[in-house]
Amino acid sequence: MDKAEKIAIVGAGLIGRAWAIVFARAGRCVALYDVEPKVLPAAKETIGANLADLAEHGLIASPPEVLQRIELVDDLGAALAGAGHVQENGPENLEVKRALFAELDRRAEPDAVLASSSSALRASLFTEGLAGRARCLVAHPVNPPYLVPLVELSPAPWTALETVARTRRLMDEVGQVPVELKREVPGFLLNRLQGALLGEAFRLVEDGYASVEDIDRTVRDGLGLRWSFMGPFETIDLNAPGGIADYIGRYGAAYAEMAQTAGAPRPWSAALVAKLEAARRASLPAARLDERQAWRDRRLMALLVHKAKAKTRIGG
């Protein structure tokens, strides 16, 4: 099997299954491995259902063709053999990551890239002592990656430039949208931006300024409409007649005042968490979480279709 074509997916949980879809629908051969082989048949069944949903929305042509590119493998060595890219999806546990990457470094092809889907652990924390540390990095997706294409590439200080470049090319080739961190930072990009918004949202609820539902409405029916096709810098660039410098001249002082009134970051107290939980469970009983997650994924599919049509119409 051509090394450029084969992808090894280590871990068949939620993210591992989604990565398998990303690579297989782009024509890559995928070896899907899990330390618990008994989960593999159910994983492939779930992937099949996800592919059927994608086909229903016109996002793939042939689910069986995509599914046949995904091979269930119960031996790590067999999964790694011939793979040019390894995507690790183990638990978010530092000691587990260290042990797993040590094993991957020993057993993977010498020139294979070793990428972690970690959403919080920086590559420098679990790759420093490896002989092949130059080929290791974090490639953090957004859940689910086959519907939300952003991938954050976060190299360790010793990651080779070519490792980042190869991973970026691969992600482009399989239809993802890679972004590259110039140096490591806790939380990478997306979670830091999301964390800033969550911190303010939690503060506004805790201090009694607005309800949980009205905060959600503010993003869903306000900020989110623009942010679904523009980033924050382009948003403000278009929100003043003279562009971004004009916007900052008009509103910079107001934002500085807001920052001052926000105060220092606060821990999320048990009382606040209970308040948020009560508000969300009043809107959505826990028994319906799976149903609502499936609804979210279908809405994401519809949005992808809409964005693809809009891009075709404007030629952008």
Side-chain angles (χ1 to χ4, degrees):
M1 192 177 293
D2 187 340
K3 217 177 270 187
E5 292 297 321
K6 181 180 176 181
I7 307 292
I9 305 289
V10 178
L14 182 66
I15 298 300
R17 297 193 302 265
W19 271 124
I21 292 173
V22 167
F23 291 117
R25 74 180 174 189
R28 302 299 175 113
C29 296
V30 175
L32 181 60
Y33 165 82
D34 197 277
V35 69
E36 295 287 349
K38 63 184 180 183
V39 309
L40 291 172
K44 196 160 187 179
E45 184 177 343
T46 300
I47 290 170
N50 295 149
L51 292 173
D53 281 345
L54 288 170
E56 186 177 336
H57 285 79
L59 293 169
I60 60 170
S62 174
E65 185 177 331
V66 176
L67 194 60
Q68 72 179 4
R69 297 191 191 107
I70 301 173
E71 178 186 5
L72 304 181
V73 182
D74 61 8
D75 177 76
L76 180 59
L80 297 174
H85 180 91
V86 180
Q87 190 71 40
E88 173 272 329
N89 310 278
E92 200 76 0
N93 177 287
L94 184 56
E95 292 310 314
V96 171
K97 293 275 190 219
R98 283 176 177 158
L100 182 52
F101 262 74
E103 185 172 13
L104 295 177
D105 192 40
R106 286 195 307 270
R107 303 181 67 180
E109 299 288 351
D111 59 349
V113 168
L114 305 183
S116 175
S117 297
S118 174
S119 59
L121 297 174
R122 303 182 297 285
S124 60
L125 298 175
F126 54 87
T127 65
E128 183 174 8
L130 302 181
R133 67 182 191 170
R135 59 170 171 166
C136 301
L137 79 168
V138 166
H140 171 235
V142 185
N143 183 38
Y146 65 89
L147 297 178
V148 185
L150 183 78
V151 182
E152 301 180 291
L153 305 182
S154 179
W158 42 79
T159 303
L161 294 176
E162 178 56 20
T163 297
V164 180
R166 280 181 58 191
T167 308
R168 185 161 198 151
R169 285 195 300 270
L170 174 64
M171 295 303 165
D172 278 327
E173 289 169 4
V174 300
Q176 299 303 97
V177 178
V179 295
E180 180 182 334
L181 279 82
K182 302 304 181 184
R183 62 181 190 271
E184 288 186 319
V185 64
F188 314 126
L189 299 180
L190 185 141
N191 280 331
R192 288 185 74 89
L193 292 170
Q194 180 171 247
L197 180 61
L198 283 175
E200 186 60 21
F202 278 39
R203 182 189 305 274
L204 290 169
V205 171
E206 187 172 33
D207 291 350
Y209 288 107
S211 69
V212 170
E213 176 57 27
D214 279 352
I215 296 292
D216 272 355
R217 286 175 177 168
T218 300
V219 176
R220 182 185 66 221
D221 299 316
L223 292 171
L225 291 178
R226 293 185 301 215
W227 286 353
S228 69
F229 59 92
M230 291 191 301
F233 291 126
E234 185 177 8
T235 294
I236 65 172
D237 192 37
L238 301 181
N239 273 5
I244 192 167
D246 184 22
Y247 184 93
I248 293 168
R250 290 168 182 258
Y251 306 114
Y255 280 104
E257 181 184 5
M258 292 177 215
Q260 289 174 352
T261 59
R266 299 178 187 173
W268 296 345
S269 69
L272 176 59
V273 172
K275 183 175 182 178
L276 297 174
E277 175 70 12
R280 285 303 305 149
R281 295 293 69 81
S283 297
L284 180 69
R288 294 184 55 203
L289 280 168
D290 288 348
E291 173 190 332
R292 190 66 170 177
Q293 287 163 354
W295 168 87
R296 174 204 63 194
D297 289 353
R298 290 193 296 271
R299 298 312 303 149
L300 285 170
M301 291 178 204
L303 181 59
L304 287 176
V305 171
H306 168 75
K307 291 182 75 169
K309 289 180 179 177
K311 185 175 182 179
T312 300
R313 285 198 298 269
I314 65 174

